[in-house]
Amino acid sequence: MPALAVLILLGIVAVIGFLGNKKDDEPPPVDLTTLAASSTATTIAGAPLDPDPYEPTAGVVVHPRAEAALYTSPDGDAFAKIAPKQFGPTWLPVVEQADGWVRVLLPSKPNRSTGWMREDELDRASSSYLIRVHTGSRTIELFEKGKRLGSWKAGVGARKTPTPAGRTFLLGSIVDHKRSASPIVLPLGAHSPTLDTFGGGPGTVAIHGWPRADVFGAAISAGCVRVPKTALAKMQQVPLGTLVQIDNK
């Protein structure tokens, strides 16, 4: 065989070998430095919204091991990124699953934002807990494995500063004894629909205590959910990422 023909044949074999070694499901590279970060202090206008904001979930929660991209759909465009820490480790509830992908609720604005993530970039766990907030009856309930552990009167958002409805999640757990109103604050992945800030920080809705009992059962807050000490102590033990369902019942 002529030398030139041999070289051409070897080149073809090398190309075929390269293509054969390439994984079909290998994602295109994403430059995370070009993406906005999803956090409680940011707004990600391109985030797809939760299609079923009042549905329960299976309790699956995920944690990005490192900064990871968020996608509009499985194999879709990357529109943002999320860090492994927010108020402590970032645990996000899974609201939908596809082959190798999960859809999660996000901590950024607008409320009910979601994003798809690659499963191979995540740690996976499960929460058997569920928190339900009812702004109509002004109550809060805690469940474990479907069994109600307690129900308490709660202070919820006033008419002009409502507590936003829809499903969200327990984003963090903060203990700060300098806070006279409530040393324990449990931030959620939801935000005031009418206020951009609370006390100079982002308008993040939280579950927290209150020194006066007259607020429990009243629509009085700037959007946060004020609960008695007994309720707060129980909810402080709930794992991060746990689903919180807020409705108008």
Side-chain angles (χ1 to χ4, degrees):
M1 182 181 292
L4 180 59
V6 172
L7 289 174
I8 292 173
L9 181 60
L10 290 174
I12 293 172
V13 170
V15 170
I16 292 173
F18 171 76
L19 293 176
N21 290 331
K22 185 177 180 181
K23 295 180 180 178
D24 292 336
D25 61 351
E26 185 175 310
V30 174
D31 184 358
L32 294 176
T33 64
T34 65
L35 299 176
S38 173
S39 76
T40 192
T42 61
T43 298
I44 309 294
L49 298 183
D50 185 357
D52 298 301
Y54 296 100
E55 289 299 308
T57 70
V60 178
V61 294
V62 292
H63 165 66
R65 291 187 290 271
E67 193 172 57
L70 298 163
Y71 297 84
T72 54
S73 62
D75 297 316
D77 295 328
F79 67 89
K81 61 186 175 184
I82 193 158
K85 290 186 177 182
Q86 302 274 331
F87 301 103
T90 302
W91 284 94
L92 307 168
V94 172
V95 297
E96 191 175 349
Q97 301 186 59
D99 186 26
W101 295 81
V102 293
R103 187 177 191 172
V104 298
L105 297 180
L106 299 178
S108 47
K109 291 181 180 180
N111 285 328
R112 305 179 185 176
S113 291
T114 70
W116 287 89
M117 303 186 72
R118 294 185 60 85
E119 272 195 303
D120 57 10
E121 298 179 332
L122 307 170
D123 292 328
R124 187 182 179 103
S126 180
S127 173
S128 59
Y129 292 88
L130 170 66
I131 297 172
R132 287 180 175 164
V133 178
H134 308 295
T135 58
S137 60
R138 301 165 191 173
T139 56
I140 188 168
E141 298 177 293
L142 176 63
F143 296 83
E144 183 183 14
K145 296 179 180 179
K147 178 182 178 181
R148 190 167 69 176
L149 301 181
S151 177
W152 304 268
K153 283 293 185 180
V156 299
R159 183 174 60 84
K160 293 184 178 180
T161 54
T163 302
R167 60 183 174 184
T168 183
F169 61 101
L170 191 62
L171 178 61
S173 180
I174 300 172
V175 178
D176 183 355
H177 294 286
K178 294 179 182 178
R179 297 174 182 265
S180 58
S182 178
I184 300 169
V185 177
L186 307 177
L188 305 180
H191 308 265
S192 168
T194 57
L195 300 175
D196 291 328
T197 134
F198 293 147
T204 306
V205 170
I207 298 172
H208 60 75
W210 201 255
R212 297 194 326 270
D214 60 325
V215 304
F216 306 133
I220 198 170
S221 78
C224 287
V225 182
R226 303 173 180 176
V227 301
K229 288 183 179 180
T230 52
L232 191 59
K234 287 184 178 292
M235 291 178 195
Q236 192 184 13
Q237 306 305 314
V238 171
L240 300 184
T242 292
L243 191 71
V244 178
Q245 292 181 306
I246 304 174
D247 59 44
N248 299 318
K249 296 178 182 179

